[in-house]
């Protein structure tokens, strides 16, 4: 099934305890589509880049067969740029610089041929823009959305408006607590789902993820990555793997949603092994399925009589 | 198999957002033995209480068939008393008062009939006292130990000495990081195991636990408890359920260690449902096994082709 991905395409400057890059391909739509491309076939990207966007970065996306008709090139400025520095334990980071550049004027226009996309991934952008996307798609089978504290605090009304049209919300634990104003994650999940999304995934970083769908809860472990090199994009990559699997299988049963969460975790565990989206350019099916099986072994609880 | 439990027997004053108690039965040895008593048969408790220790609290332990020959009564003072207040989110607490009382002079004397105990649980007490216990037991099959930041920082040499004689260390994630001086939990686990313990369990509170044994890692989920009433004793209860299961089955294969971790998690998930050890007095086998199966369902990853 076709998957529409809307979000940022950016350049990142990243410093971790293990190295530093000046300007590397990034952005939520980038990580999302690259991760999804290992499963879904028709990936339609909508975003904007500036005059400085390099041909070789276009090629990175093209080499994964991502359709770029929806990628606007705005020659009036540069590409969205973010730079940050991770702390020693990689769980926290400081933003050093944010230059919105052409992203500030981003107007997500969905090309005609994308409008019947069955699966829609709304990366972390302004809620009113996310809603604008939904107004342009015909009748999506599944709308999946990410958001962040910035929008929860800054544009709560627009966010709640958009949430009503979302089928699956993917956020992290602190965002879930803040959105629900409730510290207990299980209770927070109920409150968030009452705002619209039938299903909810709460990402817990190094502690895995929780899926709430129907009356089921699924607790997925995180993969014990020994050499985390750069956590940038792990959350978007998780969402990309998840969506890619769902679009590929077109099966929204709880059992298949569990698989999707694990494939999301698998892709995220690869992502952090290299700087930026580097690792997402060179994976193969065997590596992905092998790691899925490792996740299974890792969390297998034996039966008791 | 017999299980020797050495630790504190105490009174706690607890305040949570949901209520308050003045003086309720507590202490690591209490939670440990109560939880273990649902599995293991011969539980031998070594600890000390003061002149204020109530007969009805003795009865709580006796009613679970815990042998109290090793429970010293020191009439020169009162029982160890701790009081604390939990924050809104229950993940953090402030200690309001600590009165060591008779516990300050605790000298763990192991009664003759306890000295051939096959399983030894060393609750969180001074490392030199933990070692003193080990000098009195003949040839234990498994020595399991808990510790805390206070000893990691305060008596690192004694702690490292004791660690050499420990088979399984059970600590939380911040303790593991501090002990290993390494933020990555997987690397920290390697470093801690190099200090002595063949196996290691890292408790992650609401995020479950990690077991490292042989060359296996097992990631156990936490149970999504909706109404956490009081987290006091959850860590000791986890260790009690774990040890109780191991002593009952006398099977240290990785597969059975996984079961033990889940039974520990099961007992901890019950513990937090009431104030103090209240919930640990009234469980039955069916409730325990049913919740074990719920843990299994919760974390089951479907197979992929």
């Amino acid at each position: 099934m076709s998957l529409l991905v809307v979000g940022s395409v950016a350049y990142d400057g990243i410093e971790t305890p293990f190295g530093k890059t000046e300007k590397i391909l990034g952005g939520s739509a980038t990580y999302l589509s690259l991760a999804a491309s290992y499963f879904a076939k028709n990936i339609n990207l909508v975003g904007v880049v500036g005059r400085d966007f390099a041909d070789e970065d276009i090629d990175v996306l093209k080499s994964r067969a991502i359709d770029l008709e929806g990628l606007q090139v705005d020659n009036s400025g540069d590409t969205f740029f973010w730079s940050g520095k991770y702390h020693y334990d990689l769980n926290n980071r400081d933003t050093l610089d944010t230059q919105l550049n052409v992203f500030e004027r981003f107007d997500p226009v969905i090309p005609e041929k994308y409008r019947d996309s069955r699966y829609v991934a709304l990366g972390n952008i302004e809620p009113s823009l996310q809603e604008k996307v939904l107004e342009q798609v015909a009748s999506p089978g599944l709308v999946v959305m990410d958001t962040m504290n910035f929008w929860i605090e800054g544009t709560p009304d627009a966010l709640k408006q958009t949430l009503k049209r979302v089928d699956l919300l993917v956020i992290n634990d602190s965002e879930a607590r803040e959105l629900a104003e409730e510290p207990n994650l299980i209770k927070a999940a109920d409150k968030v789902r009452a705002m619209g999304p039938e299903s909810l995934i709460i990402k817990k970083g190094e502690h895995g993820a929780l899926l709430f769908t129907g009356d089921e809860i699924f607790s997925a472990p995180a993969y014990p990555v020994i050499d985390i090199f750069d956590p940038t994009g792990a959350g978007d990559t998780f969402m990309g793997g998840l969506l890619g699997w769902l679009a590929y299988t077109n099966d929204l049963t709880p059992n298949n949603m569990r698989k999707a969460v694990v494939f999301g975790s698998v892709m995220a565990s690869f992502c952090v092994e290299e700087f930026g989206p580097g690792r997402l350019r060179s994976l193969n099916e065997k590596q992905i399925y092998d790691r899925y099986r490792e996740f299974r072994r890792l969390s297998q609880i034996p039966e008791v009589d």
Side-chain angles (χ1 to χ4, degrees), chain A:
Chain A
M1 291 284 151
S2 51
L3 170 62
L4 171 64
V5 174
V6 185
S8 58
V9 178
Y11 279 127
D12 292 337
I14 304 166
E15 189 174 342
T16 81
F18 314 110
K20 197 173 168 175
T21 63
E22 291 301 331
K23 204 173 169 186
I24 193 174
L25 181 60
S28 60
T30 303
Y31 285 102
L32 258 158
S33 350
L34 286 175
S37 74
Y38 287 91
F39 307 100
K41 289 305 151 229
N42 302 303
I43 298 178
N44 303 321
L45 189 152
V46 171
V48 64
V49 295
R51 60 194 167 201
D52 61 337
F53 202 72
D55 288 345
E56 62 190 68
D57 290 317
I58 292 283
D59 291 343
V60 168
L61 298 168
K62 278 193 178 158
S63 73
R64 297 293 318 156
I66 295 161
D67 191 296
L68 299 181
E69 191 183 312
L71 182 65
Q72 307 159 24
V73 181
D74 179 345
N75 282 307
S76 70
D78 282 339
T79 304
F80 178 23
F81 176 75
W82 172 86
S83 77
K85 184 179 172 171
Y86 288 87
H87 297 193
Y88 173 59
D89 72 355
L90 296 174
N91 285 323
N92 295 294
R93 67 182 186 193
D94 294 323
T95 289
L96 301 176
D97 191 9
T98 304
Q99 298 169 23
L100 287 177
N101 297 331
V102 298
F103 194 63
E104 196 167 11
R105 296 180 295 279
F106 178 43
D107 179 21
V109 177
I110 313 300
E112 192 57 41
K113 71 171 191 185
Y114 290 4
R115 297 193 174 200
D116 61 351
S117 297
R118 288 294 296 156
Y119 286 78
V120 177
L122 301 170
N124 172 27
I125 56 173
E126 203 182 318
S128 61
L129 291 185
Q130 292 174 321
E131 184 148 28
K132 196 163 178 185
V133 171
L134 296 181
E135 278 158 13
Q136 297 173 71
V137 287
S139 61
L142 188 80
V143 175
V144 185
M145 177 180 137
D146 184 13
T147 190
M148 71 187 294
N149 296 42
F150 185 76
W151 308 118
I152 296 172
E153 292 156 23
T155 60
D157 295 338
L159 177 63
K160 281 176 187 167
Q161 197 58 35
T162 309
L163 274 179
K164 290 182 190 159
R165 304 173 70 164
V166 168
D167 301 301
L168 167 62
L169 180 68
V170 181
I171 50 180
N172 70 35
D173 45 0
S174 71
E175 290 157 358
R177 290 189 166 105
E178 188 167 354
L179 182 56
E181 299 177 30
E182 162 62 53
N184 181 299
L185 279 187
I186 312 302
K187 288 183 189 172
D190 281 347
K191 285 192 171 184
V192 170
R193 294 173 73 187
M195 296 175 188
E198 201 286 309
S199 302
L200 171 68
I201 291 172
I202 299 180
K203 298 174 287 181
K204 303 188 294 174
E206 65 170 336
H207 302 300
L210 291 172
L211 162 70
F212 301 83
T213 186
D215 53 9
E216 254 199 48
I217 303 178
F218 169 53
S219 173
Y223 186 74
V225 181
I226 297 179
D227 292 304
I228 301 185
F229 198 80
D230 171 19
T232 309
D236 298 313
T237 301
F238 170 86
M239 190 164 152
L242 174 102
L243 259 287
W245 178 260
L246 291 177
Y248 165 57
T249 54
N250 194 29
D251 170 1
L252 300 175
T253 59
N255 200 53
N256 197 54
M257 297 270 281
R258 285 185 178 224
K259 293 183 190 175
V261 168
V262 177
F263 276 115
S265 308
V266 163
M267 298 310 287
S269 77
F270 282 120
C271 174
V272 301
E273 291 177 350
E274 280 183 29
F275 254 133
R279 193 77 179 92
L280 300 180
R281 297 170 58 180
S282 60
L283 290 167
N284 63 48
E285 199 168 272
K286 182 173 184 313
Q287 293 170 313
I288 293 170
Y289 279 74
D290 280 352
R291 189 160 292 183
Y292 183 102
R293 290 184 196 100
E294 283 187 58
F295 266 85
R296 253 195 113 231
R297 261 196 301 279
L298 185 75
S299 65
Q300 193 102 4
I301 298 180
E303 272 190 85
V304 289
D305 306 326

